[in-house]
Amino acid sequence: MIKKLKRPILKELDLPQYKRPDLKEACDFLDMQGHNFSVVKTKYNKKGQWDAISLRGYSDNPADILKPGVLKSDIAPAELRDTHLTQVSNLVPLIEILSHIPAKFERVRVMRLKAGTSISKHTDKVDKSIGFEDGEIVRIHIPIRTNDNIYFYMWRDKKQYCWNLEQGKYYYTDVTRPHAVHNKADMDRLHLVVDCYSNEKIRALILQDNEQDNEIGDTK
């Protein structure tokens, strides 16, 4: 069974090389949309420092970031659809990034963590569709604005690992594992967070050279 395969907690995906687009215009546009971001409704975000906006979701409204049946969402069951943000010229670089992921998409959001704030340790097990088998959701993070003072933590077997994720790269994250983020920078962190329907191609990328696991050491 696929679920029995040991998979990494975090893995940079070796997607075909392409010229990484300049993301400044996209970030500037998203900064102007700041008032349209919706707070992520979770007890791990009590101060509202973590919010998001949808490129694809269960509503035409980019401010609707939730999923029916998850986190006490009051969204009625609906079909997935792209929001108008996918047609904005400033965000074409994000659409290019998406085009290199070999999977169909569920939700696609830009998620923002405000400067000098944190997301405390948690898992995303509340979404029962997250997994690894065909049709289940795997989550890919692509940092679109970040720096070396932003730390992404994950835990496995009570051991803590820490990464500085790099702009424009693709990272699979097993969000059924405990994870946390600390933004020690003086700017807001922006990640393109892509929920993909698992398939053979995406699993092969995740499991490639799995023994290395890209783990860079314990935090203190």
Side-chain angles (χ1 to χ4, degrees):
M1 293 290 293
I2 292 170
K3 283 186 176 179
K4 292 183 179 179
L5 294 175
K6 184 178 179 181
R7 58 187 185 269
I9 55 174
L10 185 145
K11 174 69 176 290
E12 180 186 337
L13 300 185
D14 185 19
L15 287 169
Q17 292 297 309
Y18 71 100
K19 182 180 178 181
R20 288 200 175 91
D22 184 351
L23 296 172
K24 184 180 184 306
E25 286 190 9
C27 291
D28 289 345
F29 176 82
L30 291 165
D31 286 341
M32 291 189 294
Q33 297 297 307
H35 62 286
N36 291 322
F37 278 61
S38 296
V39 172
V40 178
K41 295 180 180 179
T42 169
K43 64 182 180 181
Y44 306 103
N45 187 29
K46 293 178 181 178
K47 296 182 180 179
Q49 69 271 16
W50 182 30
D51 52 19
I53 196 168
S54 291
L55 274 63
R56 180 173 175 81
Y58 290 92
S59 166
D60 295 317
N61 184 355
D64 290 339
I65 62 172
L66 296 180
K67 178 176 180 174
V70 176
L71 290 175
K72 298 181 180 180
S73 168
D74 57 2
I75 295 177
E79 292 185 2
L80 285 161
R81 77 287 305 269
D82 294 340
T83 71
H84 74 269
L85 293 180
T86 60
Q87 305 300 317
V88 174
S89 60
N90 302 72
L91 299 184
V92 166
L94 303 190
I95 306 307
E96 180 183 349
I97 286 171
L98 293 173
S99 71
H100 295 276
I101 300 174
K104 292 182 179 180
F105 304 136
E106 194 218 26
R107 287 183 296 168
V108 178
R109 296 161 291 168
V110 175
M111 306 195 79
R112 175 176 65 176
L113 180 61
K114 294 178 182 177
T117 67
S118 301
I119 306 168
S120 59
K121 185 178 180 181
H122 68 286
T123 75
D124 294 352
K125 290 181 179 180
V126 65
D127 186 347
K128 304 302 183 184
S129 65
I130 293 175
F132 208 55
E133 294 190 35
D134 284 351
E136 294 183 328
I137 299 299
V138 295
R139 184 161 291 163
I140 309 298
H141 277 249
I142 304 101
I144 57 178
R145 183 166 65 202
T146 190
N147 75 16
D148 290 343
N149 290 316
I150 301 174
Y151 302 93
F152 192 95
Y153 303 94
M154 296 197 76
W155 284 260
R156 184 171 63 193
D157 301 328
K158 298 183 179 180
K159 190 174 183 180
Q160 183 190 66
Y161 298 90
C162 179
W163 293 264
N164 294 117
L165 304 183
E166 297 182 38
Q167 185 187 48
K169 292 188 175 182
Y170 301 80
Y171 296 93
Y172 163 74
T173 54
D174 182 359
V175 291
T176 65
R177 303 274 187 171
H179 54 283
V181 186
H182 193 176
N183 182 358
K184 296 182 179 181
D186 58 0
M187 63 181 189
D188 297 343
R189 184 197 80 159
L190 294 172
H191 272 203
L192 184 61
V193 179
V194 187
D195 285 352
C196 306
Y197 290 106
S198 183
N199 61 40
E200 186 175 347
K201 287 184 178 180
I202 201 79
R203 286 194 298 270
L205 286 168
I206 293 167
L207 296 172
Q208 184 178 3
D209 300 324
N210 189 24
E211 67 278 2
Q212 295 181 9
D213 223 19
N214 283 340
E215 292 165 351
I216 60 174
D218 296 339
T219 58
K220 302 298 183 182

